[in-house]
Every structure is written in C-alpha cells, then in structure tokens.
C-alpha cells in the first residue's frame, strides 16, 4: 500500500475539470491508500487573492471534497499553511533545483505571459513548493489532471537530485496517476484551451455551484458544429468542441470515447446535449445538495481540518527531522 498526496488551490470556481481530472480519482484511490488531500493555500497566494475570499474558499473546497466522497475518517484533509514543513523543505529543495529546470515549466510561461519581469518569485518557485508538498510525506502516488504532468516530472527529478546529492535512498520517486478519460477537460467555448477557474467567461465551465438550470443553459450554449456525430472519434479529429463534450459524457458514464461515438453515431448535437445535460445533473446535483449541508456546519469542517492538520504535521515533522539530519542541519 502506497501513500497518496494531492492538492488543489482554494481559489473558488471549482469545476468539472477539477472533478473529473482529480477529485473523482482521489475518492476511488483513498480506499486502498493512506491519503493526504491538501488545500494549497500558499500556492494560491501567488495570485494575491483577497484575504477574506481565500479564507472562505478553503471551507468551500473542504465541503466539495466531502460532498464528492472523500471520507474524513479514512483520509486527511488540511490546509498547506497549517504545516510549516512545506516551506522548510521547499527551501532545502530549491537549493538543489537548477534554474534551467524551472525555466522549462510551461505553466510559469503561460501564467507570467509577456510580463515575465513583473511575475513574482512565488509563481516561479511554485513547482518547488509543490515538490515539497509531496516529498514532505514521502508520498508514492499523486493523482492529478494532465496539466500537472510536467510539474510531477520535475518533482521526480528533484527527489532524484536529493537522493544523489546526499547518497541516500530517502525520497521515493512519486508516480503521477493520470486517468485516460477526461484527464484534460476543455473549455465549453473553445476546445483548444482547458476548462479553468480563471477563464473570464462562466459559460466556459460547469461549476459545482451551478444549479440544474445553469447546467442546462451552459450545455445548450456550449460550442459544437452542425455535423452529425461520427461513429469513430478519429473521424472527428478537428472537431475539438464536439470531442470534448463526447469525452465528458464518456467520463461521467464510465465509457470509452469509442463507445460514446458508437452510441450517438449519426445523431446531431441537440439530442446528445439533452442526454449530456441529464447525466451532468444526475451526477452533480446530489453533490451540490450535500455541499450546501456541509457548509451549514462550519464547526464540523474546521474540526476535520484540525484533525487532518494534526496528522499531517506529525508525519511531516518526523520526516523533517530525518531530512535535517541528512543535509547537516542541527535539530534544535
Ligand atoms: P487547480 O484548479 O489548478 O487547483 O487544479 C486542481 C486539480 O485539477 C489538478 O490535479 C489539475 O490537474 C486538475 N485540473 C484542473 N483543470 C483541469 C481540466 N480542465 N481538466 C482536467 N483536470 C484539471
Ligand atoms: N499545482 C497543482 C495545480 O495547480 C496544485 C498542487 C500543489 C498539487 N501542490 C500539489 C497537486 C501537490 C498535487 C500534488 O493543480
């Protein structure tokens, strides 16, 4: 049995991509692994969110985790900032990370854009803190969406650099766990960009706060094309928006893209969209209802975070003492 670590930024607008790419997988994996699910509030600071918003988003995301099926009796849920080991280890690892490795990170390039000189150091060092998140627990498996693949390769490189530098076999090289279906859910408005929390258009994403009417409206407005659905996804290679909706349907109904295309072959999108809307509402509405119930009991949410933080602190602190020993820092 391995140990899972994964995290999500408490930045609001939790969406279908987060669920299908990450959270749904966590729910399944927690049954077989000791699991740490973190709200990476320090990572969220890289975009300087409004303090009161950041605070309320943390509780909201805990409610999403619980409503989607994370079991707080089995798994540990906690805010990153509650465990100081993440920052301490982040520094140690940053001393082992060549700038050349960070310069390759496409997420930094995308987020910094043309204003690279103005981008903050936190945004640049973001993947090193991510490495510390995972390695502080000596986690073996990291379930994430496809956009995190490059960061996880870097985490493995950094873990390897540490083991080599100090001639130890201390950090396991963590395995990314990326599902095949819906590892990358795309925007409903543009099939060439991923569904994201920060897209200015709400019509680009299905959010967990959306009620059935909002879901129906967003799917009705979702971009498609006038051609009928082909029986073979290869024949639809250039129809990105169409493929995205079919992929979402497949992920929600646990079917391959091939099977979905065969089921709807020859039909137009108006019929398919009705079916997709039903499936989305059947999946998301019970989660939304449960979220509302959890959010009415903030004391319970805080108690869950407290328990998770305690466990996370204990484990990370044990590891930090060993790490300090390895690198030659005194344990005061
Ligand atoms: P973030 O929204 O950046 O905090 O991402 C949290 C988790 O959701 C990570 O594991 C991401 O890889 C995953 N994720 C984010 N956007 C998508 C998407 N459009 N499709 C699939 N997975 C996603
Ligand atoms: N960078 C991840 C994202 O944007 C969030 C994250 C931070 C994370 N630390 C992590 C994911 C550790 C997995 C493991 O989605």
């Amino acid at each position: 049995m391995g140990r899972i670590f994964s995290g999500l930024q408490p930045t609001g607008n939790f969406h279908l991509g987060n669920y299908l790419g990450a959270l749904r997988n966590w729910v399944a994996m927690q049954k077989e692994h000791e699991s740490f699910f973190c709200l990476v509030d320090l990572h969220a600071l890289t975009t300087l969110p409004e303090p009161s918003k950041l605070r309320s988003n943390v509780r909201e995301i805990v409610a999403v985790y619980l409503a989607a099926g994370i079991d707080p009796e089995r798994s540990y849920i906690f805010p990153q900032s509650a465990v100081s080991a993440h920052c301490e280890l982040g520094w140690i690892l940053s001393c082992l990370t060549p700038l050349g490795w960070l310069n390759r990170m496409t997420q930094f390039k995308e987020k910094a854009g043309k204003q690279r000189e103005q981008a903050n150091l936190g945004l640049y060092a973001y993947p090193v803190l991510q490495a510390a998140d995972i390695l502080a627990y000596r986690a073996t498996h990291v379930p994430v969406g496809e956009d995190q693949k490059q960061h996880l390769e870097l985490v493995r490189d950094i873990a390897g650099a540490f083991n080599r530098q100090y001639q130890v076999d201390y950090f396991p090289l963590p395995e990314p766990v990326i599902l095949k279906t819906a590892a990358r859910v795309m925007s409903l408005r543009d099939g060439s960009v991923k569904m994201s929390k920060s897209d200015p258009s709400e019509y680009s994403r299905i959010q967990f706060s959306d009620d059935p009417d909002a879901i129906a409206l967003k799917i009705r407005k979702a971009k498609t094309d006038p051609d009928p659905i082909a029986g073979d996804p290869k024949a639809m290679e250039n129809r990105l928006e169409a493929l995205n909706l079919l992929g979402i349907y497949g992920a929600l109904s646990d079917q391959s893209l091939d099977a979905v295309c065969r089921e709807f072959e020859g039909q137009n999108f108006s019929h398919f969209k009705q079916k997709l809307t039903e499936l989305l509402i059947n999946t998301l509405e019970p989660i939304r209802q449960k979220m509302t119930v959890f959010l009415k009991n903030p004391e319970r949410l805080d108690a869950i975070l407290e328990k998770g933080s305690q466990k996370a602190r204990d484990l990370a602190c044990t590891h930090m003492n060993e790490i300090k020993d390895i690198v030659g820092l005194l344990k005061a």
Side-chain angles (χ1 to χ4, degrees):
M1 186 170 113
R3 181 178 293 139
I4 291 186
F5 184 97
S6 198
L8 216 138
Q9 294 191 54
T11 36
N13 298 348
F14 184 91
H15 57 70
L16 186 66
N18 297 132
Y19 177 66
L20 292 177
L23 182 54
R24 194 174 66 145
N25 206 5
W26 304 357
V27 173
M29 290 181 77
Q30 68 176 342
K31 299 198 177 84
E32 278 153 33
H33 303 265
E34 183 186 30
S35 305
F36 291 84
F37 298 120
C38 188
L39 300 130
V40 291
D41 48 1
L42 297 171
H43 277 112
L45 282 185
T46 55
T47 57
L48 300 174
E50 223 249 292
S52 61
K53 200 84 192 95
L54 181 58
R55 253 190 301 270
S56 63
N57 281 339
V58 168
R59 279 193 185 137
E60 201 178 300
I61 296 282
V62 181
V64 176
Y65 282 10
L66 297 173
I70 298 291
D71 177 359
E73 297 300 319
R74 197 186 266 277
S75 305
Y76 303 104
I77 304 174
F78 64 102
Q80 188 182 29
S81 58
V83 185
S84 56
H86 294 238
C87 287
E88 288 177 42
L89 182 57
W91 180 260
I92 294 174
L93 299 178
S94 71
C95 296
L96 288 159
T97 308
L99 294 187
W101 291 2
L102 291 179
N103 289 339
R104 286 205 298 268
M105 295 298 114
T106 51
Q107 183 170 302
F108 174 73
K109 289 184 204 164
E110 276 164 21
K111 288 200 173 163
K114 292 200 178 73
Q115 309 283 328
R116 192 159 327 175
E117 291 293 309
Q118 309 304 320
N120 64 56
L121 174 61
L123 203 57
Y124 189 62
Y126 181 112
V128 182
L129 181 59
Q130 184 165 348
D133 296 341
I134 298 166
L135 299 178
Y137 301 89
R138 302 175 77 198
T140 55
H141 295 84
V142 186
V144 281
E146 201 189 56
D147 60 349
Q148 293 303 309
K149 201 167 169 210
Q150 193 185 36
H151 283 168
L152 285 178
E153 277 160 14
L154 182 75
V155 175
R156 289 168 64 89
D157 287 344
I158 294 176
F162 181 97
N163 289 346
R164 264 194 316 283
Q165 174 68 28
Y166 295 106
Q167 298 182 3
V168 286
D169 188 14
Y170 188 71
F171 289 128
L173 302 190
E175 289 285 342
V177 182
I178 300 173
L179 287 188
K180 284 210 178 60
T181 47
R184 195 174 177 80
V185 177
M186 308 311 277
S187 156
L188 301 180
R189 309 297 288 165
D190 176 354
S192 68
V193 300
K194 68 173 184 178
M195 186 176 283
S196 101
K197 291 171 176 168
S198 55
D199 193 313
S201 166
E202 279 205 16
Y203 287 103
S204 69
R205 61 182 167 259
I206 303 285
Q207 290 179 190
F208 273 53
S209 48
D210 288 339
D211 63 17
D213 287 345
I215 293 177
L217 180 66
K218 286 180 179 181
I219 294 301
R220 220 178 308 130
K221 282 185 169 276
K223 195 171 163 201
T224 44
D225 55 52
D227 294 337
I229 295 168
D232 177 0
K234 285 191 203 72
M236 303 180 64
E237 243 168 51
N238 298 322
R239 298 167 62 188
L240 299 180
E241 288 81 14
L243 276 176
N244 185 41
L245 294 186
L246 292 159
I248 292 173
Y249 188 95
L252 290 169
S253 60
D254 276 325
Q255 294 184 76
S256 68
L257 189 58
D258 286 290
V260 179
C261 287
R262 273 198 306 276
E263 182 182 338
F264 291 98
E265 181 171 11
Q267 302 192 23
N268 62 25
F269 272 95
S270 59
H271 170 71
F272 170 77
K273 279 184 168 184
Q274 277 170 21
K275 291 284 176 200
L276 178 61
T277 302
E278 275 167 31
L279 190 53
L280 277 165
I281 293 173
N282 288 341
T283 311
L284 301 190
E285 185 52 15
I287 300 181
R288 191 178 73 97
Q289 300 279 351
K290 282 189 203 150
M291 262 172 74
T292 323
V293 176
F294 283 122
L295 281 170
K296 284 199 183 120
N297 191 348
E299 291 80 22
R300 165 125 202 266
L301 300 180
D302 291 350
I304 288 170
L305 285 173
E306 182 55 46
K307 181 182 155 214
S309 301
Q310 194 58 49
K311 170 75 186 183
R313 235 178 261 131
D314 287 351
L315 182 62
C317 187
T318 305
H319 292 157
M320 269 322 288
N321 280 332
E322 292 166 357
I323 294 164
K324 283 184 173 173
D325 237 4
I326 293 172
V327 304
L329 295 171
L330 292 181
K331 288 173 286 170

